């Protein structure tokens, strides 16, 4: 086993270290989600934390790590004898992005359950992580149903496996840590809320700090054991402090004043539900224990808010997480004034040390405590600043941004769009757009299992076994089932697609009111793609050529940012835009052949520039039709005189056309549409 990088050797990242340590002190805080750019020591910090956790006493031979002093009465390996206790290091279990449901929660041997009536259960990663750390790298790329199972187990402290009437339950209490790069896509707000704390991390811009990071990393890579040995004393001191804080935690008092501050803060920032209040209370209590105190102070509440609230204020994928610290301070001050009476005149306290009295606050350790990572008085920089790169000053209204270009205009208010789906049945990643054969959904039939059996079709299995009972010598009431009798349930659900936007940014679209409406429509479709778990890409064309403004990604907020800054002007190279989109699909098909594409062309249908631009655009469009690619043209033509060019383009693509008004879900112009062929016999044959 390789030597982990020492936790105390980490440079900077104070908020990250604090959040991890608070969860080590009190796992009831609910875990931590670490958001940040690549290469910011997210994984290194999590792996280093496991070495700080104390050893875990377990029942010898128990696969579920039962505590000898309070063994789980429902443990599948129980009942346990009084003796046989042993100790082992706390585990850190990693959940791979491509893990199956059976690998996460465990699996039942269905064949033995049916034939012998025994619960033959193979534990999963949740059982391995019990009383340790469960680490999910790139949690935003994990399938939604796995994230739901994971967070349900973390919230209930138990995992349930149920298959065809046979169920197993075992304890599953662990410190949940997830890391993610927001550029690769966001978690749903409902899932974000299930993580207790969140931390935004970014690489330091301080030269000296970056030099120290490189120096320590090179020293560790050259001699991991020697490097860890130089930090042994610091690691031991921090480990002892974690143990001491755990022991002190039950004695910490959360007074009515602190509770009122917590409630007032959550109300002021309009967070949904009550989970934020509970998480803040547990975090503030852990901060007090970490500082060696038995009372929760105002600074503890402030620090708890900075860690527990930013991700809970996110309402849609285009909102950057963050917290207004000035508003936070005002709220805390107002709630403190409401709670505390005015002190009598002449009763000054020179030793007070602030509004909460003497002593350190906000999780700061006592001056005589062991050396440990400093705890920040506030987040390093604003979350909003870290979530979006600095923007250059915008030119004056109406000023040109280049030859034939106009200043980018803001998008109109987004709206709820009609559902656009790909016809047929796919087998892509689970989502909410088009019909597909999936692991979850309604049962539509059965088949012989290919590999491990995951979803038993009970009726089909009984039907397959029934004709052979006499030949197998059945004598009792039980059914004699063989491996060949088992049938896998086939299910139909929904898949996510690749929605590739091809946006006309030429001069014919450059009227400010018109382009604002077009951007609003694309923004609405992006929001719809986010809700339906699609990947998105953005191709734009104007002037003399087309460009890939955003390669296919799960980050719809990145697409929204590119759309917002999109300039307009110049000729309309429609053929170049379609050819560029066709090339993007060709490459993406090699990467993920199962994910079906949906091409959304946003244009008025005009084509200018080059030799025979209209004919070239028609030839390019027919490439999509030949490949059977689902497509829709959003017709942006306006005015009393309409040429109908967008409709002609849709015909060449083998798709359909909708106007901006018809795109709205509340429009009466049409119903939900399949966007390929509109029941054309030739398209059905293809």
């Amino acid at each position: 086993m390789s030597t982990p990088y020492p936790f105390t050797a980490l440079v900077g990242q104070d908020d990250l270290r604090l959040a991890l340590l608070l969860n080590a002190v009190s796992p009831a805080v609910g875990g931590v989600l670490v958001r940040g750019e690549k290469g910011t020591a997210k994984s290194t910090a999590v792996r280093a934390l496991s070495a700080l956790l104390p050893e875990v006493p377990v029942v010898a031979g128990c696969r579920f790590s039962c505590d000898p002093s309070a063994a789980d009465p429902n443990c599948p390996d129980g009942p346990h004898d009084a003796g046989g206790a042993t100790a082992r290091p706390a585990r850190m279990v990693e959940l791979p992005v491509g893990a199956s449901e059976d690998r996460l929660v465990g699996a039942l041997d269905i064949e033995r359950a049916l034939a012998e009536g025994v619960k033959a259960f193979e534990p999963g990663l949740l059982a391995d992580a019990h009383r340790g750390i469960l680490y999910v790298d790139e949690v935003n790329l994990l399938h939604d149903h796995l994230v739901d199972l994971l967070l349900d187990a973390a919230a209930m402290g138990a995992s349930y496996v149920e298959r065809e009437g046979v169920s197993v339950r075992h304890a599953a209490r662990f410190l949940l840590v997830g890391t993610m790069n927001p550029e690769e896509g966001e978690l749903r707000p409902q899932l974000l809320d299930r993580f207790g704390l969140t931390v935004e991390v970014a690489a330091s811009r301080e030269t000296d700090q970056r030099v120290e990071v490189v120096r320590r990393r090179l020293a560790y890579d050259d001699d991991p054991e020697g490097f860890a040995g130089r930090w042994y004393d610091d690691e031991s001191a921090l480990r002892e402090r974690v143990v001491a804080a755990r022991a002190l935690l039950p004695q910490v008092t959360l007074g009515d004043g602190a509770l009122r501050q917590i409630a007032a803060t959550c109300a002021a920032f309009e967070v949904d539900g009550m989970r934020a209040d509970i998480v803040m209370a547990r975090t503030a209590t852990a901060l007090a224990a970490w500082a060696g105190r038995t009372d929760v102070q105002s600074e503890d509440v402030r620090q708890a808010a900075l860690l527990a609230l930013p991700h809970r204020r996110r309402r849609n994928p285009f909102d950057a997480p963050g917290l207004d610290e000035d508003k936070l301070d005002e709220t805390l001050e107002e709630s403190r004034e409401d709670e505390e009476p005015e002190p009598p005149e002449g009763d000054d306290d020179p030793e007070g040390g602030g509004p909460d009295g003497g002593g350190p606050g906000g999780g700061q350790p006592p001056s005589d405590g062991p050396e440990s990572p400093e705890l920040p008085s506030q987040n390093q920089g604003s979350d909003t600043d870290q979530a979006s790169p600095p923007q250059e000053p915008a030119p004056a209204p109406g000023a040109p941004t280049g030859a034939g270009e106009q200043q980018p205009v803001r998008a109109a208010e987004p709206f709820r769009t009609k559902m656009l789906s790909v016809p047929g049945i796919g087998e892509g990643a689970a989502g909410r757009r088009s019909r597909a054969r999936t692991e979850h959904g309604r049962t539509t039939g059965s088949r012989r299992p290919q590999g491990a059996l995951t979803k038993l079709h009970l009726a089909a299995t009984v039907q397959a076994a029934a004709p052979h009972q006499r030949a197998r010598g059945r004598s009792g009431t039980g059914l004699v089932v063989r491996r060949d009798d088992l049938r896998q349930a086939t299910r139909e659900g929904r898949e996510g697609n690749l929605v590739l936007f091809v946006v006309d940014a030429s001069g014919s679209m450059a009227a400010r009111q018109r382009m604002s409406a077009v951007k609003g429509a694309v923004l609405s479709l992006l929001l719809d793609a986010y809700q339906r778990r699609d990947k998105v890409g953005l191709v734009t064309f104007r002037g003399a050529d087309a460009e890939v403004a955003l390669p296919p990604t799960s980050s719809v907020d990145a697409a929204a940012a590119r759309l917002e800054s999109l300039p307009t002007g110049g000729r309309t190279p429609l053929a170049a835009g379609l050819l560029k989109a066709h090339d993007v699909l060709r490459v993406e098909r090699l990467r993920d052949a199962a994910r079906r594409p949906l091409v959304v062309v946003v244009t008025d249908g005009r084509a200018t520039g080059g030799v025979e631009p209209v004919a070239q655009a028609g030839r390019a469009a027919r490439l999509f039709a030949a490949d059977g690619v689902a497509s829709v043209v959003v017709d942006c033509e306006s005015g009393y005189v309409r040429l109908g060019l967008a409709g002609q383009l849709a015909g060449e693509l083998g798709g359909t056309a909708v106007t901006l008004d018809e795109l709205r879900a509340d429009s009466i112009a049409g119903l939900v549409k399949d966007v390929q062929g509109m029941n054309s016999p030739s398209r059905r044959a293809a």
Side-chain angles (χ1 to χ4, degrees), residues 202-382:
S204 172
R205 300 298 184 257
E206 295 287 338
T207 301
D208 292 342
Q209 196 171 74
R210 295 176 74 97
V211 167
E212 186 62 22
V213 169
V214 175
R215 181 182 292 117
R216 293 187 185 183
R217 185 70 208 191
L218 293 178
Y220 171 77
D221 291 341
D222 289 341
D223 182 12
E225 293 185 3
F227 183 83
R230 292 196 291 274
W231 292 89
Y232 178 80
D233 291 341
D234 293 332
E235 290 282 289
S236 298
L238 191 57
R239 188 180 300 108
E240 291 172 1
R241 187 176 176 193
V242 170
V243 174
R246 280 188 173 187
L248 183 62
L249 186 66
Q251 304 173 39
V252 176
T253 301
L254 182 65
D256 289 343
L259 274 174
R260 292 187 65 85
Q261 287 186 321
I262 291 170
T265 301
C266 292
F269 285 99
E270 299 180 348
V271 295
D272 296 332
M274 295 297 299
R275 185 175 282 117
D277 303 63
I278 296 171
V279 170
M280 274 189 64
R282 290 171 174 167
T283 304
T285 303
L287 280 162
W290 179 246
R293 290 183 274 99
T294 57
D295 62 311
V296 174
Q297 298 181 358
S298 182
E299 280 302 309
D300 299 328
V301 176
R302 184 183 192 278
Q303 185 66 61
L306 292 174
L307 293 172
L309 295 188
H311 61 300
R312 292 185 165 87
R313 302 199 64 238
R314 188 182 176 97
R315 293 293 189 268
N316 65 61
F318 311 132
D319 292 339
L323 207 64
D324 185 340
E325 295 192 28
D326 291 336
K327 180 178 179 181
L328 173 61
D329 291 335
E330 291 175 6
T331 302
L332 292 175
E333 186 64 31
E334 289 174 1
S335 59
R336 186 162 51 237
E337 290 174 355
D338 291 342
E339 179 68 20
E340 296 179 358
E342 289 290 335
E345 294 184 4
D347 191 19
D348 295 333
D349 181 10
E351 304 294 328
D356 291 305
Q364 296 288 349
S367 58
D368 59 348
E371 183 179 352
S372 64
E374 288 187 0
L375 306 184
S377 60
Q378 62 183 24
N379 281 354
Q380 294 177 320
S382 135

Side-chain angles (χ1 to χ4, degrees), residues 46-119:
V46 177
R47 293 187 176 98
L49 178 68
S50 61
L52 297 178
L53 301 181
E55 286 194 335
V56 178
V58 297
V59 175
C62 178
R63 297 174 298 167
F64 302 89
S65 303
C66 281
D67 187 345
S69 62
D72 182 4
N74 298 314
C75 176
D77 284 356
H80 298 299
D81 297 332
T86 185
R88 61 161 177 79
R91 293 174 180 159
M92 194 200 75
V93 177
E94 294 193 43
L95 174 62
V97 170
S100 65
E101 180 180 338
D102 286 346
R103 185 71 186 98
L104 176 63
V105 301
L108 289 170
D109 189 331
I110 301 296
E111 184 176 359
R112 291 189 62 190
L114 287 174
E116 304 174 28
V118 297
K119 295 181 182 179

Side-chain angles (χ1 to χ4, degrees), residues 504-509 514 541-544 570-578 601-621 637 643-646 648-649 652:
D504 184 350
S506 64
S508 66
M509 306 281 288
R514 184 180 183 188
F541 58 94
R542 62 185 177 86
R571 293 182 178 272
T572 311
L574 177 57
L578 294 174
V601 185
V602 185
T603 181
D604 57 9
R606 290 181 172 85
T608 60
V611 180
E612 297 183 339
V614 176
Q616 289 185 27
R619 286 193 291 271
E637 193 173 26
L643 302 179
L645 298 176
Q648 296 176 23
L649 176 63
E652 298 280 8

Side-chain angles (χ1 to χ4, degrees), residues 35 186-187 189 192 313-322 384 387-388 410-415 501 519-531 536 550 554-564:
R35 299 163 43 93
E186 285 287 354
L187 278 173
L192 281 173
R313 302 199 64 238
R314 188 182 176 97
R315 293 293 189 268
N316 65 61
F318 311 132
D319 292 339
T384 304
S388 58
R410 296 187 63 84
E413 192 69 22
F415 52 85
F501 294 93
K519 285 188 175 183
V522 178
L523 195 66
S524 304
L525 290 168
L526 282 172
L527 182 58
D528 182 69
Y530 166 79
Q531 294 168 340
V536 296
L550 183 72
S554 297
S555 179
V556 295
D557 51 345
R562 302 291 172 88
L563 178 71
E564 191 69 25

Side-chain angles (χ1 to χ4, degrees), residues 124-135:
L125 295 177
L126 292 181
D128 293 341
H130 180 45
R131 305 175 68 198
I133 300 174
L134 182 59
Y135 172 49

